[in-house]
Amino acid sequence: MPRRPFALLACLALTAPVFAQPFVNWETPHVHPIDLTPDGTRLLVVNTADNRLEVFDVTTGVPVRTASIPVGLDPCSVRARTNTEAWVVNHISDSISIVDLAALNVKQTLTPGDEPADVVFAQGRAFVSVSQENLIRVYDAASPSLPTLTVAIGAEDPRALATDGTRVFAAIFESGNNTTILSQQQVSTAALNPYPGDANPPPNSGAMFNPPIAGGLPTPPAVSLIVKKTGAQWLDDNNGNWTPAVTWGLVDRDAAIIDANTLAVTYATGLMNADMAIAVRPGGTVTIVGIDATNQVRFEPIVKGRFLRVNMATFPSTTPASTTITDLNPHLTYSSGTAPQATRDESLGDPRAIVWNAAGTRGYVAGMGSGSVIAIDPAGARIARVDVGQGPTGLALDEPRSRLYVLNKFEGSLDVIDTTSNTNLGFVPFFDPTPDAVRAGRPRLYDTRATSGLGHASCASCHIDARTDTLSWDLGDPSGAMKTFNQVCNFGAGGCENWHPMKGPMATQTLVSLPGTGPLHWRADRENLAAFNPAFVGLLGDDVQLTAQEMTELEGFVNSLKTPPQPNRNFDNSLKTTHPNGGNPTNGLERYLNGRIDGGVVTCVQCHTLPTGTNGQLTSANLLQQTQSIKIPQLRNMYEKTGFLKTSQTNTRGFGFIHDGSTDTLFNFLLSPVFQFPPGATGTQQRRDIEAFLQCFPTDTHAAIGVQSTLVSIATAPAAQVALLNNMLTVANSGVVSLVVKGRVAGLQRGYAYTGASMYQSDRQTETISDASLRTLASLGSELTWTVVPTGSQTRIGIDRDSDGYLDRDELDAGSDPADPNSVPPPLCPGDADGSRVVNFADITSTLANWGSTYPGPNGAGDADHNGAVNFADITATLANFGTTCP
């Protein structure tokens, strides 16, 4: 049924815009994207796609938009520190925008580190999670320019934060679930294999396979094996005991608990594999919602439709070892992977937000995948379910007005729920420049109700936020059939092998930056994305596959995905000469390009071609010293796979590199006999250098993209800030990136887009300004923020928000809405060459000053007849209408 906005606000509904400028989709996840000011009068919402903070008045219980404030690239979280100050976390910009809610402007920008995710305030301090660096940055909340403190987190990807005032709790997004992997060699070792005959692959049902192996299949390849720690033992899915084989340890930390005063850290463990949202329930109980994968269970027919649980974990804030885990879908029995649609519609999928009332008696959880919000009691029991818009990711509870505000990320809207009756009162849309292709394809990846048999899972349950769950899965099928090899075999005298349906464990791959990487999957046994369509039935448990149109939409969405900036490269995207591993990335690139290390014959780049890191071909099993052919993978996300070391007892990951995740480090991968290096220290250093380069491998986003600097006064700016502004200009002049400047000038919100040669076009068509002059406009209370943006996006981000050809300040001056492409200024009258709406000598001056110019739109400076060119006809138009005042 079509959704309808509030009747009294129907005039605010916006139609999808026509996009004239590029839009880069990093698919940044929300963490805490909505918040109320302490006095409860204003609702703050991050508009990730539009790089803004939206401000709504909620004094009537119905959100009314009052301001839209430019911040950094891809804001993902917001917290109100006071009624007049908000902190916005910008995931791609690696920054915090401190927003003055009175001036409606960014007054300060902080740079906490790579991919910050959330912020909370406790004991006069601001705690910021820095997800890629596994740390919490601590600021003096009232004076954030003071030196910061750093709290190291011994876990992967701390994101969502919560506080009880004296402690800060950080949910670990990539916590793992106490599973790890044994290599194919370990499984085939008689001293370690607990099964008769040292069977590899081992049986999964007593002495047999379930389902039984199909008749006529050749012997399955020997493979690696996933095991899970149960008590003190490491067991497979057949209760086979592999404890002697696992000589390393896992910490499996799900929440970091930080004393807000001493900064001492303890942990809660063993909760789930992806901790997605966290809140402190009044009374001292910490609650986390997320998903827990059952990846230790083998074979697609067995796990079909039921390979994960949507859980809530709770523990007392003072005794984190006392944990309780509750399934938030108690109506599911998991006896089958497919249920009637009515059952699926009750399910909660991909939980991304949780809030509690002040009494701690009722909580609310948002399911991004299911498009619903559930009300729960303190034990997690279901009270009610309310359907909302697409992709709910944020919740803000307004108890005095009995309202729950829900942010729907995928459609750019707010739903309003009456918490007394648990009914949806309607929704309020806001401007969202997301392209139609992204909007159409997203549900095919995320929608748990529409794409799975139980309504609680989707492709995004493993490809979380279109990326990876950092686990490996054995989704083979003993009852399946062989597939004839039909790709290009890069190396191997005997050719590459046909694909056996019992493929063994494979690490979940990212869906980001797939175009240009060749056939898909680790074995290249999927020719394209459409070849995965059977998985909607065979793995997810749905009744039908996607239609051709739906698959085309999914492909359009996946092809839009881009990797974030590479954090280990210099600002100009060049390589550094040092790396924490002791290697030199610059030297590593030279070895990668020219060192014949693969069998002493082939260079790295011949197989791992630039820019993706793959030539899309396969290597034979013999060359790999494995038992089946494997595709040469892309290398853009190698830096995100660290945390596994088989000599460590405190691993933060149980899976590492190569197709099954069984190689712990890239250095150890380069120790494989197939790679030939000089002996001794020289070879060791060369391996370190190549490893360092791979950790700095370029992504498809320039390293400078998103970098910001807020200028208060050029006269008092620190030397480092001036140097950064100069470097921004230098890299923009190279054409690989561009610049925008946003802030307040003469009491008005203004924007500027870089046009080259140290010049900017302002958000008034007739106005340009030099970089030097623009810097002089910044002052206390009228701060200006420079941001590096992708080339081609500067007009949309900087000066034409809705890409309708009319610049933002021109629209505001004329009374039209720069956030609505259907709202445009009235036409200029003939002869008005400078946009002043009066035809006079200034128009002749404007025409002469811009003589010979051409414009893509009708409002170019000097264009008095509005035909896109400045010439004699404009002088004629000005003289013919001299003295006219435009309506």
Short mmCIF file of all heavy atoms in Angstrom, two decimals, residues 347-382:
data_model
loop_
_atom_site.label_atom_id
_atom_site.label_comp_id
_atom_site.label_asym_id
_atom_site.label_seq_id
_atom_site.Cartn_x
_atom_site.Cartn_y
_atom_site.Cartn_z
N SER A 347 8.64 -11.06 11.40
CA SER A 347 10.05 -11.15 11.77
C SER A 347 10.74 -9.80 11.76
O SER A 347 10.42 -8.91 10.96
CB SER A 347 10.78 -12.10 10.81
OG SER A 347 10.27 -13.41 10.92
N LEU A 348 11.71 -9.67 12.63
CA LEU A 348 12.59 -8.50 12.68
C LEU A 348 13.91 -8.89 12.02
O LEU A 348 14.49 -9.93 12.34
CB LEU A 348 12.84 -8.06 14.12
CG LEU A 348 13.68 -6.80 14.29
CD1 LEU A 348 12.79 -5.57 14.12
CD2 LEU A 348 14.36 -6.76 15.65
N GLY A 349 14.38 -8.05 11.09
CA GLY A 349 15.64 -8.34 10.42
C GLY A 349 16.60 -7.17 10.46
O GLY A 349 16.19 -6.02 10.36
N ASP A 350 17.90 -7.48 10.60
CA ASP A 350 18.97 -6.48 10.55
C ASP A 350 18.72 -5.35 11.53
O ASP A 350 18.53 -4.19 11.15
CB ASP A 350 19.10 -5.93 9.14
CG ASP A 350 20.52 -5.50 8.80
OD1 ASP A 350 21.31 -5.31 9.74
OD2 ASP A 350 20.82 -5.34 7.61
N PRO A 351 18.74 -5.60 12.85
CA PRO A 351 18.44 -4.57 13.84
C PRO A 351 19.53 -3.51 13.92
O PRO A 351 20.71 -3.84 14.01
CB PRO A 351 18.34 -5.35 15.15
CG PRO A 351 19.25 -6.52 14.94
CD PRO A 351 19.13 -6.88 13.48
N ARG A 352 19.15 -2.23 13.89
CA ARG A 352 20.15 -1.17 13.87
C ARG A 352 19.94 -0.09 14.92
O ARG A 352 20.73 0.85 14.98
CB ARG A 352 20.17 -0.52 12.48
CG ARG A 352 20.66 -1.45 11.36
CD ARG A 352 22.06 -1.96 11.62
NE ARG A 352 22.51 -2.89 10.61
CZ ARG A 352 23.42 -2.63 9.70
NH1 ARG A 352 23.99 -1.44 9.67
NH2 ARG A 352 23.79 -3.54 8.83
N ALA A 353 18.93 -0.20 15.76
CA ALA A 353 18.73 0.82 16.78
C ALA A 353 17.92 0.23 17.94
O ALA A 353 17.06 -0.62 17.73
CB ALA A 353 18.00 2.04 16.22
N ILE A 354 18.24 0.70 19.15
CA ILE A 354 17.46 0.32 20.33
C ILE A 354 17.42 1.50 21.29
O ILE A 354 18.43 2.19 21.49
CB ILE A 354 18.06 -0.93 21.02
CG1 ILE A 354 17.23 -1.30 22.27
CG2 ILE A 354 19.53 -0.75 21.36
CD1 ILE A 354 17.62 -2.64 22.88
N VAL A 355 16.23 1.78 21.84
CA VAL A 355 16.06 2.83 22.85
C VAL A 355 15.14 2.29 23.93
O VAL A 355 14.34 1.37 23.71
CB VAL A 355 15.46 4.13 22.26
CG1 VAL A 355 16.41 4.77 21.27
CG2 VAL A 355 14.10 3.87 21.63
N TRP A 356 15.22 2.89 25.14
CA TRP A 356 14.38 2.52 26.28
C TRP A 356 13.68 3.75 26.84
O TRP A 356 14.22 4.87 26.74
CB TRP A 356 15.23 1.88 27.38
CG TRP A 356 15.79 0.56 27.01
CD1 TRP A 356 17.01 0.31 26.48
CD2 TRP A 356 15.12 -0.70 27.12
NE1 TRP A 356 17.17 -1.03 26.25
CE2 TRP A 356 16.03 -1.68 26.63
CE3 TRP A 356 13.88 -1.11 27.58
CZ2 TRP A 356 15.71 -3.05 26.59
CZ3 TRP A 356 13.56 -2.47 27.54
CH2 TRP A 356 14.46 -3.41 27.05
N ASN A 357 12.52 3.54 27.42
CA ASN A 357 11.86 4.65 28.12
C ASN A 357 12.57 4.92 29.44
O ASN A 357 13.44 4.15 29.87
CB ASN A 357 10.37 4.39 28.30
CG ASN A 357 10.07 3.20 29.21
OD1 ASN A 357 10.96 2.61 29.82
ND2 ASN A 357 8.80 2.84 29.29
N ALA A 358 12.22 6.02 30.07
CA ALA A 358 12.93 6.46 31.28
C ALA A 358 12.78 5.49 32.43
O ALA A 358 13.66 5.39 33.29
CB ALA A 358 12.45 7.85 31.69
N ALA A 359 11.67 4.76 32.45
CA ALA A 359 11.44 3.81 33.53
C ALA A 359 12.13 2.48 33.27
O ALA A 359 12.21 1.63 34.17
CB ALA A 359 9.94 3.59 33.71
N GLY A 360 12.58 2.28 32.05
CA GLY A 360 13.22 1.02 31.70
C GLY A 360 12.25 -0.12 31.52
O GLY A 360 12.65 -1.30 31.53
N THR A 361 10.98 0.20 31.34
CA THR A 361 9.96 -0.84 31.25
C THR A 361 9.62 -1.21 29.81
O THR A 361 8.99 -2.25 29.58
CB THR A 361 8.67 -0.38 31.95
OG1 THR A 361 8.25 0.87 31.38
CG2 THR A 361 8.92 -0.19 33.44
N ARG A 362 10.01 -0.36 28.87
CA ARG A 362 9.69 -0.65 27.48
C ARG A 362 10.82 -0.17 26.58
O ARG A 362 11.34 0.94 26.74
CB ARG A 362 8.38 0.01 27.06
CG ARG A 362 8.01 -0.28 25.60
CD ARG A 362 6.60 0.15 25.26
NE ARG A 362 5.61 -0.62 26.01
CZ ARG A 362 4.30 -0.60 25.75
NH1 ARG A 362 3.83 0.18 24.79
NH2 ARG A 362 3.48 -1.33 26.46
N GLY A 363 11.18 -1.04 25.66
CA GLY A 363 12.21 -0.69 24.69
C GLY A 363 11.67 -0.79 23.28
O GLY A 363 10.59 -1.36 23.04
N TYR A 364 12.42 -0.22 22.34
CA TYR A 364 12.04 -0.25 20.94
C TYR A 364 13.28 -0.61 20.12
O TYR A 364 14.37 -0.08 20.36
CB TYR A 364 11.49 1.10 20.49
CG TYR A 364 10.25 1.52 21.27
CD1 TYR A 364 10.38 2.27 22.44
CD2 TYR A 364 8.97 1.16 20.84
CE1 TYR A 364 9.27 2.65 23.17
CE2 TYR A 364 7.85 1.54 21.56
CZ TYR A 364 8.00 2.28 22.72
OH TYR A 364 6.88 2.64 23.44
N VAL A 365 13.09 -1.49 19.15
CA VAL A 365 14.17 -1.94 18.28
C VAL A 365 13.75 -1.73 16.84
O VAL A 365 12.64 -2.12 16.45
CB VAL A 365 14.52 -3.42 18.53
CG1 VAL A 365 15.68 -3.85 17.63
CG2 VAL A 365 14.87 -3.66 19.99
N ALA A 366 14.63 -1.14 16.03
CA ALA A 366 14.36 -0.92 14.61
C ALA A 366 15.04 -1.98 13.77
O ALA A 366 16.23 -2.24 13.95
CB ALA A 366 14.83 0.47 14.19
N GLY A 367 14.28 -2.59 12.86
CA GLY A 367 14.82 -3.58 11.94
C GLY A 367 15.02 -2.97 10.57
O GLY A 367 14.05 -2.76 9.83
N MET A 368 16.27 -2.66 10.21
CA MET A 368 16.55 -2.03 8.93
C MET A 368 16.12 -2.92 7.77
O MET A 368 15.62 -2.45 6.75
CB MET A 368 18.04 -1.71 8.81
CG MET A 368 18.43 -0.98 7.53
SD MET A 368 20.18 -0.50 7.46
CE MET A 368 20.94 -2.08 7.06
N GLY A 369 16.30 -4.23 7.91
CA GLY A 369 15.95 -5.13 6.84
C GLY A 369 14.48 -5.45 6.74
O GLY A 369 13.97 -5.71 5.65
N SER A 370 13.78 -5.41 7.86
CA SER A 370 12.36 -5.78 7.87
C SER A 370 11.44 -4.58 7.73
O SER A 370 10.22 -4.76 7.58
CB SER A 370 12.02 -6.54 9.16
OG SER A 370 12.41 -5.80 10.31
N GLY A 371 11.98 -3.36 7.79
CA GLY A 371 11.13 -2.18 7.67
C GLY A 371 10.12 -2.09 8.79
O GLY A 371 8.96 -1.71 8.56
N SER A 372 10.56 -2.42 10.01
CA SER A 372 9.63 -2.45 11.14
C SER A 372 10.32 -2.05 12.42
O SER A 372 11.55 -2.06 12.52
CB SER A 372 9.02 -3.85 11.29
OG SER A 372 10.04 -4.82 11.54
N VAL A 373 9.50 -1.70 13.41
CA VAL A 373 9.95 -1.41 14.77
C VAL A 373 9.15 -2.29 15.71
O VAL A 373 7.93 -2.42 15.56
CB VAL A 373 9.74 0.07 15.12
CG1 VAL A 373 10.06 0.33 16.59
CG2 VAL A 373 10.59 0.97 14.23
N ILE A 374 9.85 -2.92 16.66
CA ILE A 374 9.13 -3.71 17.66
C ILE A 374 9.27 -3.05 19.02
O ILE A 374 10.29 -2.42 19.33
CB ILE A 374 9.63 -5.17 17.72
CG1 ILE A 374 11.12 -5.23 18.10
CG2 ILE A 374 9.36 -5.88 16.40
CD1 ILE A 374 11.61 -6.64 18.40
N ALA A 375 8.21 -3.17 19.81
CA ALA A 375 8.25 -2.78 21.21
C ALA A 375 8.48 -4.03 22.05
O ALA A 375 7.88 -5.08 21.78
CB ALA A 375 6.94 -2.10 21.62
N ILE A 376 9.38 -3.94 23.05
CA ILE A 376 9.73 -5.09 23.86
C ILE A 376 9.68 -4.74 25.34
O ILE A 376 9.76 -3.57 25.72
CB ILE A 376 11.14 -5.62 23.50
CG1 ILE A 376 12.19 -4.52 23.70
CG2 ILE A 376 11.17 -6.16 22.08
CD1 ILE A 376 13.63 -4.99 23.50
N ASP A 377 9.59 -5.78 26.17
CA ASP A 377 9.71 -5.57 27.61
C ASP A 377 11.17 -5.75 28.01
O ASP A 377 12.03 -6.06 27.16
CB ASP A 377 8.75 -6.50 28.37
CG ASP A 377 9.17 -7.97 28.29
OD1 ASP A 377 10.29 -8.29 27.86
OD2 ASP A 377 8.33 -8.82 28.69
N PRO A 378 11.52 -5.58 29.29
CA PRO A 378 12.94 -5.67 29.68
C PRO A 378 13.59 -7.00 29.35
O PRO A 378 14.82 -7.07 29.18
CB PRO A 378 12.90 -5.41 31.18
CG PRO A 378 11.70 -4.54 31.38
CD PRO A 378 10.69 -5.06 30.40
N ALA A 379 12.80 -8.07 29.26
CA ALA A 379 13.36 -9.38 28.94
C ALA A 379 13.48 -9.61 27.44
O ALA A 379 13.96 -10.66 27.01
CB ALA A 379 12.50 -10.47 29.57
N GLY A 380 13.02 -8.65 26.63
CA GLY A 380 13.08 -8.81 25.19
C GLY A 380 11.85 -9.42 24.59
O GLY A 380 11.80 -9.67 23.38
N ALA A 381 10.82 -9.68 25.39
CA ALA A 381 9.59 -10.26 24.87
C ALA A 381 8.85 -9.23 24.02
O ALA A 381 8.78 -8.05 24.37
CB ALA A 381 8.70 -10.74 26.01
N ARG A 382 8.28 -9.68 22.94
CA ARG A 382 7.59 -8.81 21.98
C ARG A 382 6.28 -8.29 22.56
O ARG A 382 5.44 -9.05 23.02
CB ARG A 382 7.36 -9.60 20.70
CG ARG A 382 6.70 -8.85 19.55
CD ARG A 382 7.69 -8.15 18.67
NE ARG A 382 8.68 -9.00 18.02
CZ ARG A 382 8.58 -9.47 16.78
NH1 ARG A 382 7.51 -9.17 16.05
NH2 ARG A 382 9.55 -10.19 16.26
#
